[in-house]
Amino acid sequence: MKIFLIGFMGCGKSTKAKQLANRLACEVVDLDAVMVAQEGKSIAEYFAEHGEAAFRKLEQETLKNYPYPETCVIATGGGLPCFFDNMEWMNANGKTIYLKMTPPQLVSRLHNREKRPLLKGMDDEQLLAFIETKLAERNTFYNQAQLVVNAFDLDIEELL
Ligand code: S3P
């Protein structure tokens, strides 16, 4: 079984994927990290050199072509479910879990903004406004997940 963790930047997908994989004694796949290793550059560098449209294509190809082990937990990038048919594909090929948080909760967790090209240079007020708008758009996709959980203070045992 493949378990895809989805949700906005800062909701804890990578950390929760590691914890869940650890508890399930299976592998963890972090799709952003896969692209970084494969391209030999950070996501911020990739955006700066090739632009967002090229990144979204690469992201889709990586999602669909990665040689996943039979059982694994997959951390996805925050925008991945919202492009092409990625959400549909994940629902058809595994279990999807939306790690949901409110905009103020996300702001309180997004300290390292420089590594995230979409958030670069924003102060707290700008970030809150950006998240409110973006999350309203993205929730249409995120809410297609098979399981929606309140991810703030989420206990891994409860998630299991
Ligand atoms: C993005 C989220 C990032 C990364 C890229 C774009 C987004 O992943 O894929 O910077 O569009 O929300 P994280 O959610 O792991 O930060």
Side-chain angles (χ1 to χ4, degrees), residues 2 13 42 54 59 67 74 79 87-88 93-94 96 101 118 129 133 139 141 155 157:
K2 296 185 193 69
K13 299 177 293 283
S42 69
E59 190 176 50
I74 301 138
M87 192 66 218
E88 212 180 315
N93 286 277
T96 49
M101 279 193 195
L118 298 178
T133 308
N139 266 334
F141 297 94
D155 179 20
E157 298 305 317

Side-chain angles (χ1 to χ4, degrees), residues 140-151:
T140 314
F141 297 94
Y142 294 157
N143 282 324
Q144 291 171 34
Q146 292 153 20
L147 184 65
V148 179
V149 296
N150 180 355

Side-chain angles (χ1 to χ4, degrees), residues 29-47 50 52-64 66 68 74-80 86:
V29 178
D30 189 314
L31 289 177
D32 275 351
V34 168
M35 291 185 282
V36 168
Q38 184 186 296
E39 298 301 311
K41 56 186 73 157
S42 69
I43 303 282
E45 284 164 348
Y46 194 92
F47 257 70
H50 306 282
E52 182 172 356
F55 173 77
R56 297 304 174 190
K57 281 194 77 179
L58 173 70
E59 190 176 50
Q60 184 192 36
E61 282 161 20
T62 310
L63 169 71
K64 295 191 179 177
Y66 188 81
Y68 299 100
I74 301 138
T76 62
L80 182 143
N86 293 349

